[in-house]
Amino acid sequence: MRAEALKGHLDGLLLAALESGPMHGYAVKEALREATKGRIDLPTGTVYPALHRLERAGLIAGSWSVVAGRRRRSYELTSAGRTALGGERASWQEFATAVTAALGARPWPATT
């Protein structure tokens, strides 16, 4: 999938990946890849800055842990993040319905 197709939807995708519970950044990336059967495989250089931005916005909360002697940061949705995810889903449904109507209609109605 082209990166430009995801513009405006990255936050919603990351919030949705965290809906099932806390996970570290790489696991968020992998959860999204698996949920989309590999169609969305974001580079880590996209995921981590977005997670930090969502954390600054109060939509997710991060905490440090040590696993196998290595520090890693895990993220989870906040209540504001759950609310934002609901809004993202509603916006996506509206957008998808409009695009489906436009692209699925054949032939286009004639304009006069």
Side-chain angles (χ1 to χ4, degrees):
M1 180 170 287
R2 295 186 322 237
E4 56 269 9
L6 296 176
K7 286 186 179 174
H9 304 291
L10 179 60
D11 290 359
L13 291 168
L14 296 176
L15 293 173
L18 287 166
E19 187 175 29
S20 64
M23 59 181 78
H24 59 88
Y26 188 77
V28 171
K29 171 188 167 1
E30 288 300 300
L32 187 55
R33 187 182 60 76
E34 289 175 17
T36 63
K37 297 184 172 127
R39 291 183 193 102
I40 298 176
D41 189 7
L42 299 171
T44 55
T46 298
V47 173
Y48 286 102
L51 289 171
H52 296 157
R53 185 174 35 74
L54 291 170
E55 186 176 19
R56 284 190 307 274
L59 301 178
I60 63 174
S63 61
W64 287 101
S65 63
V66 177
V67 176
R70 295 180 61 187
R71 287 184 64 194
R72 69 178 178 188
R73 192 150 179 86
S74 292
Y75 300 92
E76 64 182 312
L77 288 179
T78 62
S79 59
R82 289 190 188 286
T83 300
L85 177 56
E88 290 285 340
R89 283 191 168 128
S91 293
W92 171 254
Q93 287 299 325
E94 184 177 335
F95 175 77
T97 298
V99 170
T100 299
L103 294 179
R106 290 189 190 134
W108 277 74
T111 58
T112 55

